[in-house]
Amino acid sequence: MTQADPIILDGHSLTLQAFREVVLHARPVRLHPDAIQQMSRSREMVESLLKAGDTVYGITTGFGKFSDTLIDHSQVQDLQRNLIVSHACGVGEPLSEEAVRGMMLLRANALAKGHSGIRPIVVERLLTFLNEGIHPIVPSQGSLGASGDLAPLAHMALPLIGEGMVQFQGEKQEAQVVLQKQNLTPLVLEAKEGLALINGTQLMASLLSISLLKAEELINAADIISALTVEALNGIPHAYHPLLHEARGQVGQIACATQLRNLLQGSERVTQPGEKRVQDAYSLRCIPQVHGASRDTFVHVKHIVERELNAATDNPLLFAEEREVISGGNFHGQPLALAADFLSIAMAELANISERRTERLVNPQLSGLPAFLTQQGGLHSGYMILQYTAASLVSENKTLCHPASVDSIPSSANQEDHVSMGAFGTRKLHQVIRNVTHVLAIESICASQALEFGTGLLGAGTQPAYDHIRKVIPPLGDDRESGADMVAAVVLIQSGQLRQVVASHLSG
């Protein structure tokens, strides 16, 4: 499959890798013929319910507390339009284009399952926006994470009906203007379609998916960077012996220990028990246990998200073959809310232990190295304040990691009396991950500098890591402004360059 080949949406087989290709790399998307057929069947069911005059939530009734208010057949178009415009009341900074692309992709895939009663033309228009780079402006705040991400998804849906604002060709523009430029006519939503567009978990799922992609890079980078620190401090890799970790049996722990052994293979900078000390401090000795637990959490959250990528999350759902319309609560974000809180904690722990390793690198009483990794301490401050920055970020994470999912507040006149707060949980997860990235970047800078004061070969994986870092961050002589170094280190981590260069050497 080439880069130009489209991702085919059928509502059942979207993967996290495909999400990455569409959201981050603008891979085109189109509907599977079977999805079009399934949507058409459920649409026919909506039409038959309307014709029969049945009372069905969201089709012939109002919404939320108004679920007992019947709507005349002649008013269904007004009902759906009113739903979109009234619910588009989000506040705060706009979401990133990547997050909005994720929402559009995931909402289209959920609708492609054929349980939402929406016409294929509506989903095809959503994919036209996605493929042509017409990105709705979506405020980041306003979702309770239950009844769906109503306000954000309403903002996503506004441009479909010619309302709201979009980002297109690098400019913020009125949706109506962009539609005219692209020869597109605003849609008139029919019964159930407005509700189908906004009643889902796609803000939460998009943000959590993007976080997972970033978290995977952080987990791999943390192992590589910590191995550099082990060498800089003449650590004892005997603590990573396979017998020890197999005796416990934790999968992530075993994987991390294996990775550390591979990275440090052949190193002349490490020591044996008793050579310098009997055993290392926890921040070195317990890397597999700590990093491994975060790795296991990542895998757990990934499974939950991969299920949600292909989930039907609106209400009610229609099952054409069984002739059933079921009103329930698949829009409730609790699975994602708990997962986001768990991943926040797991990622923050990578930073917590990293900051402790950075402290050991810059503190001469713990390292045996020049204070703050500079030869002219006093005249020069060296990397003294980098540790301050890392300490501030890990402390900030401790507040950010208070779980959002333990909170709830009633809405819609107490009809919707328990909510997940998953939207907030996934938003603050992004800040946690940003903080963790910078803390690991700081450790990579300090570990590389600490290695300047020793001699001997580095390991099979750490040598290429060190060499790659040194291509963009030179050793510290005289004091210099560290911001540019931190930016460079962050790019090495976020882009996957550090992981890729090490993998190429270890696999070779």
Side-chain angles (χ1 to χ4, degrees):
M1 177 176 287
T2 67
Q3 186 68 22
D5 290 332
I7 298 293
I8 308 300
L9 296 187
D10 59 11
H12 306 285
S13 58
L14 184 66
T15 65
L16 196 59
Q17 179 58 34
F19 176 94
R20 181 203 299 270
E21 291 294 320
V22 174
V23 171
L24 302 184
H25 304 300
R27 184 90 168 265
V29 188
R30 66 177 175 84
L31 288 170
H32 194 286
D34 291 347
I36 295 173
Q37 184 179 20
Q38 286 297 109
M39 284 188 285
S40 298
R41 292 181 65 189
S42 70
R43 184 66 211 170
E44 290 169 4
M45 189 173 178
V46 170
E47 298 294 342
S48 67
L49 291 168
L50 284 170
K51 187 175 181 180
D54 293 348
T55 301
V56 183
Y57 173 72
I59 298 178
T60 57
T61 75
F63 311 101
K65 184 63 177 175
F66 293 132
S67 59
D68 294 324
T69 302
L70 296 180
I71 305 299
D72 186 83
H73 187 282
S74 64
Q75 297 176 306
V76 293
Q77 291 180 350
D78 289 340
L79 176 68
Q80 300 304 311
R81 182 188 181 279
N82 292 343
L83 175 67
I84 299 298
V85 298
S86 67
H87 284 50
C89 57
V91 299
E93 292 297 314
L95 292 168
S96 68
E97 286 193 5
E98 290 80 8
V100 174
R101 288 182 62 79
M103 291 172 63
M104 297 164 74
L105 172 67
L106 296 181
R107 194 72 213 124
N109 194 52
L111 297 171
K113 292 181 75 70
H115 295 309
S116 302
I118 197 167
R119 290 171 296 161
I121 189 175
V122 180
V123 184
E124 287 170 340
R125 176 62 58 83
L126 192 58
L127 294 184
T128 296
F129 277 28
L130 187 62
N131 290 332
E132 296 188 10
I134 303 172
H135 301 131
I137 303 294
V138 180
S140 56
Q141 295 173 275
S143 173
L144 294 170
S147 300
D149 291 312
L150 293 171
L153 286 168
H155 283 279
M156 182 203 76
L158 276 177
L160 298 175
I161 61 173
E163 303 282 351
M165 304 293 292
V166 299
Q167 192 79 16
F168 180 61
Q169 295 179 343
E171 295 182 11
K172 183 178 179 180
Q173 305 179 54
E174 292 183 4
Q176 179 67 52
V177 172
V178 173
L179 289 175
Q180 290 174 353
K181 288 179 182 177
Q182 300 301 106
N183 295 316
L184 296 171
T185 303
L187 295 175
V188 176
L189 299 179
E190 299 291 346
K192 180 65 166 65
E193 292 183 331
L195 185 60
L197 284 167
I198 72 172
N199 205 204
T201 62
Q202 280 66 47
L203 167 65
M204 291 176 277
S206 176
L207 290 175
L208 190 47
S209 296
I210 293 169
S211 290
L212 274 172
L213 297 175
K214 294 179 178 179
E216 188 168 23
E217 291 296 348
L218 292 181
I219 290 168
N220 288 303
D223 289 349
I224 295 166
I225 293 165
S226 65
L228 289 170
T229 299
V230 169
E231 289 184 302
L233 296 174
N234 305 128
I236 306 169
H238 197 246
Y240 315 142
H241 196 290
L243 290 176
L244 179 79
H245 301 283
E246 288 165 7
R248 191 176 199 183
Q250 293 291 350
V251 175
Q253 177 179 327
I254 292 170
C256 178
T258 301
Q259 176 77 335
L260 289 173
R261 291 195 304 273
N262 291 337
L263 289 163
L264 295 169
Q265 184 179 3
S267 175
E268 296 176 0
R269 301 290 190 100
V270 297
T271 60
Q272 295 299 315
E275 186 177 338
K276 279 200 165 186
R277 65 192 79 87
V278 174
Q279 57 185 15
D280 285 323
Y282 287 2
S283 58
L284 301 181
R285 193 183 352 147
C286 298
I287 292 170
Q289 289 81 359
V290 177
H291 289 197
S294 293
R295 186 181 290 270
D296 284 338
T297 302
F298 167 84
V299 171
H300 169 72
V301 172
K302 185 179 179 183
H303 287 327
I304 291 171
V305 170
E306 286 176 332
R307 292 193 290 268
E308 197 75 4
L309 295 181
N310 296 288
T313 56
D314 50 301
N315 178 54
L317 292 177
L318 295 94
F319 299 87
E321 288 187 12
E322 295 83 359
R323 304 300 297 173
E324 285 275 7
V325 181
I326 303 175
S327 200
N330 278 4
F331 50 69
H332 202 293
Q334 195 74 3
L336 300 180
L338 293 174
D341 286 341
F342 196 10
L343 189 59
S344 291
I345 294 167
M347 291 299 102
E349 278 301 292
L350 292 180
N352 282 348
I353 195 171
S354 173
E355 184 277 330
R356 288 293 81 200
R357 290 191 297 262
T358 295
E359 167 64 10
R360 301 194 79 81
L361 288 165
V362 302
N363 187 336
Q365 295 179 338
L366 300 175
S367 68
L369 299 169
F372 307 112
L373 305 175
T374 179
Q375 291 282 25
Q376 299 185 61
L379 175 62
H380 295 156
S381 293
Y383 284 141
M384 179 191 297
I385 307 303
L386 283 188
Q387 186 269 329
Y388 286 40
T389 300
S392 75
L393 294 175
V394 298
S395 290
E396 184 176 300
N397 277 351
K398 291 167 189 174
T399 298
L400 290 170
C401 286
H402 179 84
S405 57
V406 299
D407 186 27
S408 181
I409 193 167
S411 56
S412 194
N414 230 33
Q415 171 76 358
E416 299 164 2
D417 55 357
H418 181 277
V419 297
S420 76
M421 300 308 297
F424 176 51
T426 54
R427 284 195 296 110
K428 68 186 181 68
L429 169 60
H430 274 243
Q431 183 61 52
V432 169
I433 285 177
R434 280 194 292 271
N435 290 346
V436 174
T437 306
H438 281 89
V439 173
L440 288 171
I442 288 169
E443 184 188 356
S444 73
I445 293 169
C446 292
S448 298
Q449 180 66 16
L451 288 168
E452 303 296 330
F453 299 104
T455 59
L457 295 174
L458 300 182
T462 50
Q463 185 68 60
Y466 168 84
D467 291 341
H468 200 67
I469 291 169
R470 281 289 172 251
K471 287 180 180 179
V472 294
I473 304 172
L476 184 68
D478 294 342
D479 278 350
R480 63 173 182 257
E481 189 268 320
S482 298
D485 292 348
M486 289 184 60
V487 169
V490 165
V491 169
L492 289 180
I493 293 169
Q494 288 182 331
S495 66
Q497 292 178 43
L498 194 61
R499 169 183 54 80
Q500 291 163 8
V501 72
V502 170
S504 66
H505 281 78
L506 291 181
S507 63

